[in-house]
Each structure stands twice: as C-alpha cells, then as structure tokens.
C-alpha cells in the first residue's frame, strides 16, 4: 500500500521558490520510492527583505501553523531562513517549539522544522566545519546570517552577498550564475559550499554543476529542508540529482 504524506510550508507571501524546489525534489524521489506527497502552504506578508518586515512577518507564523494544522499535515516547514536568523541566535529552536505547540493546541499535532535549523543541522550531518556561503541579501543581513551560522559552531571562511533587496527579484535570480559566483570564493579551503542561504534564491539546477566543478558537497536551504522533512517523516532521505546530502550517503 502506498503511503501518502501531506507536506506543509509556512512561506513569505512573495516567495515563489520553496513551493517549486521542494515539490520538485520530492517528485524526483517518487520516481525511486513508493511514497507520495501533496503540498500545502500558508503565507506571511513580506515584500522587502529588511529586518523590520522580517520581524512583522515572523509574528504571523503562529497563525500559519494553526491553518496548516487544520489540514492535518504530517510535517510543517517554516520556509524562511533569514526571518528566523534575524530574531537572534538559536531562535530556530524557539520557533520550532512554539509552532509545534500551536499545532497541538489546535488538535492537529505536526512536527515543525525551520529552514534555518535544517541548514545548520545539515552541515553537521555531512561533517562540515569550514564553509563558504552565497546569500542574496543586502550585506548587513548577510552578515547577520553568517554570524548566526558561526554561533552554531561553523567557520564561515568567506561569503558573498548579492545585495538583492526585493524578494521577488531574489526569486528571479538565474541559478546558473551561481557557479561563477562560487569560483570567486576560496572554496578549495572549505569542507562544503552553502550555495543558497535563502529559501527564495533558486539554486537546484546549479547544484550538480557546482559539486562537479568544486569537488565539494553543496548544501542549499531547500535541500536541507527536504532532508529534514524526510528524516522527520521517518523516510530515507534520498533524492536523485539533488546533491550530496540527498545522495543516500547520510
């Protein structure tokens, strides 16, 4: 009997990528495994990627968790990395606990994970210590993200801030520009590459090329979130063509 799973996502209102890349990866997984997935979202208002809008958006996440628990989703992902990291060190743990409690109070208990927590956990899974990071944010927000990752115990040896202020424009960034961006970073000294420290910046089409070019494992917010969702559901975290983390090696 085929097992069906409902995947819930809390997404920024201007996000167009997490509802593209995560379903794409799980559809690829369906080609090699028997489980099937459906996808369900609730949105938080956000247009500009600035700290004030991020804080206001995060305040809406409780409502979104309740709405998704109405649908009795099997796992719930908070799909905005920088909104979590902008709230202070370790906030992904606070958010995950609070939102899970919201689903319980609504009678539709679902485990909650965040893309921020998934990213830092994924680096631990692959044993990375030294990393390089690509992010679309303005430099102050990128530095905030880098500081958050460093506080989790990783050495960010270099990063690139693409400084794209409008979230819709982040979603329109050509992922095939990413290999050349990585070439300008000292990736040779890193254990892994965070190709997209953002749920909105598309990256999946470039992952295999960057891994082949650098010989390094590549992590993205979307890949890490997919891995965390599969693990949370008790499923083997394998997706063909989605990078080292989802290769079955971990």
């Amino acid at each position: 009997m085929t097992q069906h799973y409902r995947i819930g996502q809390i997404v920024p209102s201007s996000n167009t990528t997490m509802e593209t890349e995560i379903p794409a990866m799980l559809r690829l997984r369906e080609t090699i495994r028997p489980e099937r997935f459906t996808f369900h979202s609730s949105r938080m208002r956000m247009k500009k990627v600035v700290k004030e809008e991020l804080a206001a958006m995060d305040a809406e996440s409780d409502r979104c968790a309740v709405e998704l628990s109405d649908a009795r989703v099997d796992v719930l992902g908070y799909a905005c990395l920088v909104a979590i990291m902008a709230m202070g060190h370790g906030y992904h743990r606070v958010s995950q606990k609070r939102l899970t409690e919201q689903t319980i109070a609504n009678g539709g208990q679902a485990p909650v994970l965040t893309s921020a927590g998934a990213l830092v956990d994924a680096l631990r899974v692959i044993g990375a210590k030294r990393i390089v990071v690509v992010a679309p944010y303005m430099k102050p927000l990128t530095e905030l993200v880098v500081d958050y990752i460093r506080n989790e115990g990783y050495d960010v040896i270099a990063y690139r801030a693409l400084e794209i202020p409008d979230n819709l424009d982040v979603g329109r960034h050509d992922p095939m520009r990413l290999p050349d961006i990585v070439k300008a970073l000292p990736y040779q000294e890193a254990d892994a590459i965070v190709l997209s420290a953002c749920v909105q910046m598309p990256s999946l089409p470039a992952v295999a090329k960057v891994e082949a070019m650098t010989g390094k494992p590549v992590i993205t917010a979307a890949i890490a979130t997919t891995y965390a969702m599969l693990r949370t559901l008790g499923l083997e975290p394998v997706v063909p063509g989605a990078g080292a983390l989802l290769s079955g090696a971990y």
Side-chain angles (χ1 to χ4, degrees):
M1 180 177 175
T2 300
Q3 183 71 40
H4 290 79
Y5 295 94
R6 295 177 180 140
I7 306 297
Q9 291 198 80
I10 298 173
V11 297
S13 58
S14 52
N15 188 287
T16 56
T17 301
M18 284 299 262
E19 292 158 309
T20 303
E21 290 198 344
I22 287 185
M25 282 184 272
L26 292 178
R27 291 293 180 232
L28 285 169
R29 190 184 185 280
E30 288 178 345
T31 67
I32 60 168
R33 294 293 187 273
E35 298 84 17
R36 295 295 179 262
F37 305 92
T38 61
F39 305 95
H40 315 277
S41 300
S42 182
R43 310 184 89 75
M44 311 170 286
R45 289 299 307 280
M46 191 268 281
K47 293 183 178 179
K48 301 291 184 183
V49 192
V50 295
K51 196 167 183 179
E52 294 75 19
E53 282 203 33
L54 293 170
M57 182 187 74
D58 181 68
E60 295 188 47
S61 62
D62 290 62
R63 168 186 57 79
C64 294
V66 171
E67 290 177 357
L68 287 166
S69 69
D70 285 344
R72 300 300 189 260
V73 295
D74 296 296
V75 65
L76 203 163
Y78 185 129
C80 188
L81 180 140
V82 70
I84 293 289
M85 293 188 175
M87 298 295 285
H89 291 164
Y91 182 70
H92 66 277
R93 298 177 184 90
V94 175
S95 174
Q96 288 166 188
K97 182 176 184 293
R98 189 186 75 246
L99 297 179
T100 298
E101 289 170 352
Q102 291 285 350
T103 71
I104 293 169
N106 193 44
Q109 180 174 357
V112 178
L113 56 92
T114 67
S115 54
L119 181 71
V120 297
D121 289 346
L123 293 169
R124 194 168 295 114
V125 167
I126 66 172
K129 299 292 186 184
R130 292 162 56 83
I131 62 172
V132 295
V133 174
V134 181
Y137 319 117
M138 304 303 287
K139 193 170 183 181
L141 272 182
T142 302
E143 290 173 344
L144 183 152
V145 167
V146 167
D147 179 64
Y148 193 102
I149 295 171
R150 284 175 173 156
N151 185 68
E152 292 291 323
Y154 303 102
D155 182 7
V156 181
I157 62 173
Y159 65 89
R160 170 74 184 276
L162 301 185
E163 301 197 273
I164 307 171
D166 186 276
N167 204 40
L168 282 175
D169 289 338
V170 173
R172 296 183 183 113
H173 185 268
D174 182 359
M176 299 318 293
R177 292 181 57 202
L178 291 171
D180 284 339
I181 290 168
V182 170
K183 284 179 184 177
L185 294 170
Y187 66 83
Q188 299 89 343
E189 303 168 31
D191 301 318
I193 296 162
V194 177
L195 190 62
S196 178
C198 175
V199 299
Q200 171 73 331
M201 186 168 73
S203 55
L204 188 59
V207 169
K209 182 173 182 178
V210 173
E211 286 191 336
M213 178 185 82
T214 64
K216 306 287 183 178
V218 167
I219 301 292
T220 74
I223 285 172
T225 303
T226 301
Y227 180 93
M229 285 177 168
L230 289 169
R231 279 290 192 198
T232 300
L233 293 170
L235 300 175
E236 186 182 8
V238 174
V239 175
L245 181 66
L246 290 167
S247 67
Y250 302 99

